[in-house]
Amino acid sequence: MSTGGEKGSATTKTPADFLKSIRGRPVVVKLNSGVDYRGILACLDGYMNIAMEQTEEYVNGQLKNKYGDAFIRGNNVLYISTSKRTLAEGA
C-alpha cells in the first residue's frame, strides 16, 4: 500500500495497457456461449466491442467458419487472450 513507489514502476500494467499492446497481433476471443474466434485484433473500444481480421470461428475446438473481418459485441466476450497462430496455420 505504498504510494511513493508506484511512479515509474515498469512492472505495473493495467488491463488497458495489455489491450493496447496486443492490437495488430493474433488473439483468441472466447464468448460467453463457449465459441472461440481467432484472428488479428484490429481495434476495440471501452465497451470491449472488438473488430478482428482474418477471423476463424471454432466451436468445440473444431473450425466451423472463416471470415475476412468480424465484429464482436463486447457484452458477449468472456475473455481475450494472445494466441500463437503458427499451430493453427500448420507451420
Side-chain angles (χ1 to χ4, degrees), residues 13-51:
K13 252 187 153 179
T14 66
D17 293 334
F18 168 72
L19 293 172
K20 287 177 190 174
S21 72
I22 63 171
R23 229 180 327 173
R25 293 179 50 198
V27 294
V28 175
V29 177
K30 182 142 187 124
L31 303 187
N32 295 326
S33 65
V35 176
D36 288 353
Y37 288 90
R38 300 176 190 179
I40 307 299
L41 181 64
C43 63
L44 67 141
D45 64 12
Y47 296 102
M48 292 293 286
N49 295 319
I50 300 169

